[in-house]
Amino acid sequence: MTQRVRDIMTAAPVAVGTLTGVGEVAQRMRDEDIGAVLVTERDELRGLVTDRDLTVRVLAEGRDPLHTTVREVCSPRLVTVSPDDGADDAAVLMRRHSLRRLPVVEEGEAVGMVALGDLAVDRDPDSALSEISAATANI
């Protein structure tokens, strides 16, 4: 039986509105030990902001985190998967688009996130990436 995205995704991903400040998003990432947050507007997925986006598009450009919104720095062109898509299909999309995370969308609503680490744990549980991804953070 083919593994489905719903079997490996992180359900109930963190989402923020488009006008949320990047400083608040950085704090949420820290507090929840995550590296990506979905950006929504009226429950519709509008983008994805990652810890790398905050570094490259805010800090490296000298923007003020207290006066910059996620709308200004998120990645608006998203590649998404359905929870019923195969995990192999998700891996192909990630490879083709050089992505580390894919939002999981069902009937227009973001219901999860699948990350490169999720695929590693599923496909090769003995790999170094799998071991790192499955470990509990002690930071």
Side-chain angles (χ1 to χ4, degrees), residues 24-99:
E24 180 182 333
V25 170
Q27 290 170 351
R28 294 269 313 263
M29 288 179 175
R30 177 201 61 207
D31 295 346
E32 300 192 33
D33 193 27
I34 56 176
V37 173
L38 298 174
V39 179
T40 60
E41 187 173 52
R42 285 178 243 131
D43 295 326
E44 187 174 325
L45 184 60
R46 294 291 186 191
L48 175 76
V49 66
T50 67
D51 45 8
R52 184 177 191 282
D53 292 329
L54 297 181
T55 301
V56 172
R57 297 178 182 164
V58 179
L59 296 176
E61 291 183 7
R63 293 184 182 205
D64 181 353
L66 297 177
H67 296 98
T68 304
T69 66
V70 292
R71 174 190 287 163
E72 299 172 64
V73 299
C74 71
S75 301
R77 291 191 180 107
L78 296 178
V79 176
T80 64
V81 291
S82 160
D84 293 320
D85 287 343
D88 290 342
D89 297 328
V92 168
L93 283 173
M94 292 172 99
R95 186 178 310 116
R96 180 180 303 142
H97 297 281
S98 300
L99 300 171

Side-chain angles (χ1 to χ4, degrees), residues 5 9-13 38 45 81 83 102-106 109-114:
V5 167
M9 72 181 193
T10 299
L38 298 174
L45 184 60
V81 291
L102 289 174
V104 182
V105 177
E106 185 171 45
E109 182 180 342
V111 296
M113 184 90 71
V114 64

